[in-house]
Amino acid sequence: MATVQALGIFLIFAVCVVLMMARKLPTILALPIMAVGIALVAGIPFISSDAEQFTIAKDVLEGGAMRMSTAIAGLIFGGWFGKVLTKVGVTHTIIRKAAELAGDKPLPIALAFLVVASLIFAASNGLGMVILVGTIIIPIMISTGVSPITAGTVLLLANGIGVTFSIGTLGVYIDTLGLPLETVTAYSWLCAIPLIVVAVVWIVFSVKFSAKTRKAWAMPAAEPANEKNVRTIALISPIIPVVLVFAFKMPLVPAILIGIVVTLILSTPKNVIQLVTGAFVEGIQETAGATALMIGIGMILKSVMAPEVAAVLQPVISAMIPKSQIMFVLIFGLLSILAIYRGPLNVWGLGSGIVALLAASGMNPVAAMVALRLDSNVQAVCDPTNSHNVWVSDFTKVDVNEYLKKTIVWIMISTLVGLVLASFFVSI
């Protein structure tokens, strides 16, 4: 019976993945459907008169909706902070100054924008911020001779690097694995350095050996640039929350709030009250999609961690646990491609439940966290189901699957290197 149930669970997952790949079912709906379907296959009742009984209604749906509260709070406040940075002119000023310093040479400007965009995305990410930054830096890069696919990939690589340090993203691993904030932050550089090195090498290779293009690009009317630069001291604003979290171990929400206050003090904008309240509302709007994903992830976690489901999946999960450093590298390195299309190694898909089960089955939670974060680099840069990948594809007029083909091997290599490094620092 357990074998039939296990096959049923993997069939539900496979069907949902196929529907997502075919763009017939959005991830926001796929995750709750998977959570309910998995619970039903495992024999969990929808409701029960027994208050102690684990049910779909009470535990998977209602409990799951609240499961990722720390991560959701980080997303919302991070979106608020990002909007404040935009409204006071910090984001535009940083990009403009980077363009001025790099001049009109393709390679320096591409590398400069990789650094600048990574810093911005570490402070605040999400589709709204990707669109804001992308509509500015992609046309500038293309006008200096960078090919459209290279310009778009620079943005995707910067997003991947920034997300590694993003305060909102840290909450995912805190909620999923129950790890303290200081443990999660301690391994961020280990997860980021291989991606940074590969990103720089990829950009140098792509710019030096790709065909040069140079053309004018009209800025979209919907994204007017703020022509007035903020004072130079205000440009440190994006890193304030990051420093507070990583260096001083401050909790996520107060770190972001202090970052907002410091930004306002350093930039001294007019109509502060209206600016802050407007930024809060707009920040919620722009993080709504990611918040919905977090709710779905919470439901998946509650579903797969239920005793009935855990018992069904236990043999499979136990077989996945690496028994040595070599197996750790091979399993999570060679299978990192399963992080795309919301696969079993994607923290924004079924991977959140799988990694929680791995930890519950005896794998070191820190090792599980590092492995998933490194595999998530593949998802962040390459996954065609990402909303930011789809937007970049549309904006640059390059098929979204071309970005996957251009980057997948490079990012998998960076993940493999990161896992090799991690094997020396993390016990399995």
Side-chain angles (χ1 to χ4, degrees):
M1 181 61 179
T3 302
V4 174
Q5 289 174 313
L7 290 174
I9 288 172
F10 288 114
L11 178 61
I12 289 171
F13 167 71
V15 169
C16 288
V17 168
V18 170
L19 291 174
M20 284 188 288
M21 290 174 63
R23 300 188 182 179
K24 301 294 184 182
L25 182 67
T27 309
I28 290 173
L29 296 179
L31 294 180
I33 290 171
M34 277 195 285
V36 173
I38 288 170
L40 287 173
V41 169
I44 298 173
F46 189 81
I47 58 174
S48 174
S49 57
D50 182 2
E52 300 300 319
Q53 173 73 46
F54 190 98
T55 66
I56 293 173
K58 174 172 65 72
D59 296 285
V60 175
L61 296 178
E62 184 174 0
M66 303 299 293
R67 178 68 170 76
M68 304 292 289
S69 57
T70 300
I72 290 172
L75 276 175
I76 292 174
F77 280 83
W80 184 15
F81 182 48
K83 274 298 176 182
V84 170
L85 292 174
T86 301
K87 286 180 175 291
V88 301
V90 168
T91 303
H92 285 98
T93 303
I94 290 174
I95 294 171
R96 189 178 297 116
K97 285 186 176 294
E100 292 171 355
L101 290 172
D104 62 352
K105 295 181 179 179
L107 183 57
I109 204 163
L111 292 174
F113 281 145
L114 176 72
V115 174
V116 167
S118 296
L119 291 173
I120 292 172
F121 293 142
S124 176
N125 54 69
L127 180 59
M129 187 59 75
V130 169
I131 292 173
L132 169 68
V133 175
T135 52
I136 301 172
I137 71 171
I138 288 177
I140 293 174
M141 283 189 282
I142 291 176
S143 68
T144 63
V146 177
S147 67
I149 193 168
T150 300
T153 304
V154 169
L155 185 68
L156 295 177
L157 290 167
N159 181 69
I161 294 168
V163 164
T164 306
F165 298 99
S166 169
I167 294 172
T169 305
L170 298 179
V172 176
Y173 300 96
I174 295 170
D175 283 337
T176 300
L177 293 167
L179 293 170
L181 175 62
E182 55 268 24
T183 300
V184 178
T185 58
Y187 291 91
S188 292
W189 279 108
L190 181 61
C191 299
I193 287 175
L195 180 58
I196 293 171
V197 172
V198 165
V200 171
V201 172
W202 187 95
I203 291 171
V204 171
F205 177 84
S206 182
V207 172
K208 288 290 186 181
F209 296 100
S210 64
K212 299 296 187 295
T213 61
R214 181 182 292 268
K215 63 181 179 180
W217 187 307
M219 286 296 295
E223 295 287 347
N226 185 344
E227 293 300 331
K228 183 179 179 181
N229 286 345
V230 297
R231 57 176 65 94
T232 303
I233 187 63
L235 301 184
I236 68 169
S237 302
I239 67 169
I240 296 297
V242 179
V243 171
L244 291 175
V245 169
F246 281 83
F248 298 98
K249 314 304 180 187
M250 185 174 289
L252 304 181
V253 172
I256 296 172
L257 288 174
I258 291 174
I260 291 173
V261 172
V262 170
T263 301
L264 295 173
I265 292 173
L266 297 179
S267 60
T268 58
K270 298 178 181 178
N271 303 317
V272 173
I273 301 299
Q274 293 88 335
L275 184 150
V276 172
T277 53
F280 185 64
V281 173
E282 292 175 26
I284 291 176
Q285 291 173 341
E286 291 199 353
T287 56
T291 299
L293 279 178
M294 290 289 189
I295 292 172
I297 289 171
M299 292 177 181
I300 284 283
L301 281 173
K302 294 291 285 188
S303 181
V304 299
M305 292 299 290
E308 295 89 341
V309 177
V312 171
L313 295 178
Q314 190 71 35
V316 179
I317 298 301
S318 296
M320 289 179 59
I321 297 177
K323 302 300 189 292
S324 66
Q325 274 79 6
I326 293 176
M327 292 306 297
F328 172 75
V329 172
L330 292 178
I331 289 174
F332 291 102
L334 298 180
L335 298 181
S336 60
I337 195 170
L338 298 179
I340 63 174
Y341 293 112
R342 310 295 165 177
L345 293 180
N346 186 335
V347 71
W348 300 98
L350 191 60
S352 55
I354 296 296
V355 77
L357 279 176
L358 285 170
S361 300
M363 185 176 177
N364 181 356
V366 175
M369 179 266 293
V370 171
L372 198 66
R373 291 182 74 178
L374 285 165
D375 285 342
S376 290
N377 290 340
V378 177
Q379 178 268 327
V381 178
C382 310
D383 195 345
T385 68
N386 288 332
S387 56
H388 54 266
N389 286 59
V390 174
W391 178 83
V392 170
S393 168
D394 179 69
F395 191 70
T396 57
K397 308 306 178 192
V398 176
D399 184 78
V400 69
N401 292 304
E402 289 300 312
Y403 284 101
L404 171 64
K405 295 174 186 177
K406 285 283 187 179
T407 58
I408 185 65
V409 173
W410 290 81
I411 307 305
M412 287 182 68
I413 290 173
S414 77
T415 295
L416 195 63
V417 171
L419 289 165
V420 172
L421 293 175
S423 69
F424 291 99
F425 295 98
V426 182
S427 61
I428 309 304

